[in-house]
Amino acid sequence: MSAIVIGVVLRIDVVGWLGDAPGLPHTPMRVEEGRAGVQSFYYDYSPKDSDLDVPQLCARLGSRLSRALLSEKSPFVERPVAARTVLDIGLMVASGKTAYSYTWPVEFLQILADAEIELAVSHYVTSETGEAGESGLVIED
């Protein structure tokens, strides 16, 4: 079993944002107010398919991120705001494996670099017994 994508969240922290939360293309699933005027917008980019691996996700997600953050239609193009953007991807991997690997396509990584998006990846290891909580997932550090 290869790593399967179970969730994707894009977080954009901004300073100096005025007005409603930007749609990318939809409104954020959550908005948090922080210190010193920082606002954090959280967008759910989780795939609707429940069995996508990393290359499949990247093929779909790369163009969406490019349109949302790099195109002329991006809400961040003309507004002078300081921003930090983090893409958090959750992957499920099978237990019992001593190692697992996957490949990040260069085109996807280039989009992340062009948009100055930091990548965070969380790995969730399935339990052999399925008794590790309601989700059946065990987080291993």
Side-chain angles (χ1 to χ4, degrees):
M1 175 179 146
S2 62
I4 301 296
V5 178
I6 57 174
V8 179
V9 174
L10 180 70
R11 185 187 86 223
I12 302 177
D13 301 328
V14 296
V15 176
W17 185 266
L18 300 174
D20 294 333
L24 295 179
H26 305 290
T27 58
M29 64 181 185
R30 184 171 80 214
V31 177
E32 290 181 353
E33 301 287 333
R35 293 183 293 169
V38 173
Q39 285 184 292
S40 296
F41 304 122
Y42 293 83
Y43 298 90
D44 185 4
Y45 276 84
S46 299
K48 301 212 183 318
D49 299 338
S50 60
D51 60 347
L52 287 183
D53 61 14
V54 171
Q56 292 168 330
L57 172 75
C58 293
R60 295 179 184 190
L61 185 57
S63 62
R64 291 180 67 196
L65 291 173
S66 183
R67 282 191 308 270
L69 299 171
L70 297 173
S71 76
E72 293 175 1
K73 295 181 181 180
S74 172
F76 298 104
V77 169
E78 294 184 14
R79 295 196 182 182
V81 296
R84 175 181 182 218
T85 307
V86 178
L87 183 67
D88 192 356
I89 299 176
L91 298 175
M92 180 177 59
V93 295
S95 67
K97 295 182 88 171
T98 57
Y100 49 90
S101 64
Y102 43 88
T103 306
W104 296 100
V106 172
E107 298 83 7
F108 181 75
L109 295 175
Q110 187 62 56
I111 290 168
L112 296 184
D114 291 345
E116 298 181 8
I117 299 173
E118 298 174 27
L119 179 61
V121 181
S122 301
H123 296 93
Y124 300 90
V125 181
T126 60
S127 70
E128 292 180 25
T129 62
E131 297 177 4
E134 294 178 15
S135 67
L137 298 178
V138 178
I139 301 173
E140 292 188 349
D141 294 323

